[in-house]
Amino acid sequence: MAKVRGLPLELVVIIIHSLSFDKQSLVFCASTCKSWRTICCAHLFREVDLLDRGRQLRFYDAFKKRFDTVGRFVKVLRLSHSRSGRFEALVANLSSFPGILELTFSN
């Protein structure tokens, strides 16, 4: 992967922040280089909404080995109880989400 050189970090932050509501563009930017990935992840995982069973399954299966990496970016986490077993696993791993400012549980 090619490194992006010459752009000041402040400019990169402004560019990525301007894309904060365009998830697909953030994913593309995150794959550009490691320094961009961290900035993009802060936007991609700021709010994690797992209110339906399908999202819980996909999120858990995608990140079960990387909760400590992804979890540090999550500020808002919304969970709904499901019988998938993933709900209990997510709750058991809440310590992997150290920056949570808002946590919501629903039935």
Side-chain angles (χ1 to χ4, degrees):
M1 213 177 304
K3 273 194 159 190
V4 178
R5 296 179 194 265
L7 285 178
L9 183 59
E10 295 83 5
L11 182 57
V12 172
V13 170
I14 291 169
I15 292 168
I16 293 173
H17 181 70
S18 72
L19 299 171
S20 62
F21 295 105
D22 184 350
K23 299 289 185 191
Q24 186 174 10
S25 292
L26 286 171
V27 170
F28 289 137
C29 287
S31 64
T32 301
C33 66
K34 287 181 182 179
S35 63
W36 285 38
R37 183 177 309 135
T38 301
I39 301 165
C40 291
C41 284
H43 290 285
L44 285 168
F45 298 109
R46 184 182 191 298
E47 290 189 33
V48 177
D49 188 347
L50 303 175
L51 294 176
D52 66 67
R53 185 174 184 258
R55 282 186 179 190
Q56 278 185 18
L57 293 170
R58 288 189 302 275
F59 183 84
Y60 182 80
D61 291 342
F63 299 110
K64 62 186 168 191
K65 294 180 181 171
R66 296 181 290 188
F67 278 138
D68 57 335
T69 303
V70 173
R72 67 188 168 120
F73 299 110
V74 177
K75 302 297 179 206
V76 177
L77 180 60
R78 295 182 192 95
L79 289 170
S80 178
H81 188 271
S82 71
R83 297 185 182 175
S84 67
R86 302 309 195 281
F87 175 81
E88 288 81 9
L90 287 164
V91 170
N93 282 290
L94 282 177
S95 63
S96 297
F97 300 88
I100 288 182
L101 301 173
E102 180 183 325
L103 178 61
T104 306
F105 292 101
S106 65
N107 281 335

